[in-house]
Amino acid sequence: MRYRSLNEALRCDFGGKVYKLALQGVSTCPNRDGTAGHDGCIFCSGWGSGEFAAVGADIMEQIADAKRRVAEKAPEGAQYIAYFQSFTNTYAPVEILRQRFTAAIAPPEIVALSVATRPDCLGDEVLALLEELNRKKPVWVELGLQTIHETTARYIRRGYDLPVFDEAVRALKARSIAAIAHQIIGLPGETEAMIWQTADHIARSGVDGVKFHLLHVLRGTDLAKDYAAGKFCTLEMEEYFRLLSGCIERQRPDTVIHRLTGDGAKRDLIAPLWSADKKRVLNALHRYLEEHDVQQGRLWGGS
């Protein structure tokens, strides 16, 4: 086993394969409505990173739509995770959140709730709600850290400082709620050392899981304008594999690796084009991990 995969962790926790149902909850974020900014993160599409989410005003309609999307893979009697993916899914009045999240976990085949949000959108009322729901079914909270470096954070318009992330993880862990950090590999201006420093910080933060993303350039984003102007280059496939391997080896052995690379919608993808063939990329990546004897935890330095 080269790394502790999400599939392995889910099989251990739930006794078999579990499928994610990508849902839409909140339709904005503080980085779009003027609270922290107006234009969103520089890499974020108009979908709020929810290009593959289900559609529908009612949560149960969305769940039915999402099930249809995974029907070819999911057998009869499958188990699912309700995944609120797009925008900032704790950025609404708590009673609205209670209604949406409670409805999402009500079906018996939904075994967990996953909520993508920002660390600056986890007030006491929201944390209390998530703690309450976590007593019914497991709750995961995904936090878009991306980088620990201030210069990069300003460039991508993240809109919050690093201590906000650290405090959010502490608050979630104090309530026994699983925390998952996102890191983007290949951000403009970041060196190998900077990328691995972010991975080290994630490992020390105490998160339960991590999602690694290749930097994608998508149409309609401000990042696409900088790419067209020649301000940066995207990573080649083997270079991404090398940098990702260093990040994996820096994680604690018990951390769940939820994702090895992201995949932008093909219709909007500008670069890197090699990432569009997800099956080919993952097959090549797993060969690379074997050939280079990559092992999660090898470079974990402890707390």
Side-chain angles (χ1 to χ4, degrees), residues 183-187 190-200 212-215 233-251 260 274 285 288-289 292 294 299:
Q183 178 180 357
I184 295 178
I185 298 172
L187 287 166
E190 291 215 338
T191 63
E192 169 188 288
M194 293 170 74
I195 291 167
W196 288 341
Q197 285 162 6
T198 293
D200 283 331
F212 295 114
H213 301 267
L214 166 70
L215 179 73
C233 296
T234 55
L235 296 173
E236 295 297 330
M237 186 164 65
E238 185 143 334
E239 180 66 358
Y240 178 72
F241 291 173
R242 187 182 69 81
L243 293 167
L244 172 65
S245 296
C247 293
I248 291 171
E249 293 205 323
R250 284 166 167 79
Q251 298 310 302
L260 294 172
W274 59 262
L285 173 56
Y288 183 97
L289 298 179
H292 292 80
V294 174
L299 298 177

Side-chain angles (χ1 to χ4, degrees), residues 134-150:
N134 193 48
R135 289 194 287 268
K136 299 176 181 179
K137 291 183 179 179
V139 173
W140 308 342
V141 175
E142 300 191 12
L143 303 173
L145 174 64
Q146 321 307 1
T147 180
I148 64 167
H149 300 287
E150 184 180 347

Side-chain angles (χ1 to χ4, degrees), residues 106-152:
E109 68 272 21
I110 304 294
V111 296
L113 172 69
S114 184
V115 179
T117 190
R118 292 167 55 90
D120 54 353
C121 293
L122 289 171
D124 289 341
E125 286 189 340
V126 171
L127 287 167
L129 171 62
L130 296 174
E131 184 177 19
E132 175 189 327
L133 296 172
N134 193 48
R135 289 194 287 268
K136 299 176 181 179
K137 291 183 179 179
V139 173
W140 308 342
V141 175
E142 300 191 12
L143 303 173
L145 174 64
Q146 321 307 1
T147 180
I148 64 167
H149 300 287
E150 184 180 347
T151 52
T152 315

Side-chain angles (χ1 to χ4, degrees), residues 203-221:
R204 292 193 301 269
S205 72
V207 296
D208 303 274
V210 59
K211 282 187 170 182
F212 295 114
H213 301 267
L214 166 70
L215 179 73
H216 288 97
V217 182
L218 302 177
R219 288 183 179 84
T221 64

Side-chain angles (χ1 to χ4, degrees), residues 41-82:
C41 293
I42 196 170
F43 52 79
C44 195
S45 71
W47 295 91
S49 296
E51 287 84 354
F52 306 109
V55 294
D58 179 78
I59 292 300
M60 299 314 296
E61 289 178 10
Q62 288 194 41
I63 287 175
D65 180 53
K67 284 183 178 179
R68 285 192 290 269
R69 295 180 182 219
V70 300
E72 290 186 4
K73 298 183 292 183
E76 186 77 20
Q79 301 180 102
Y80 302 94
I81 297 165

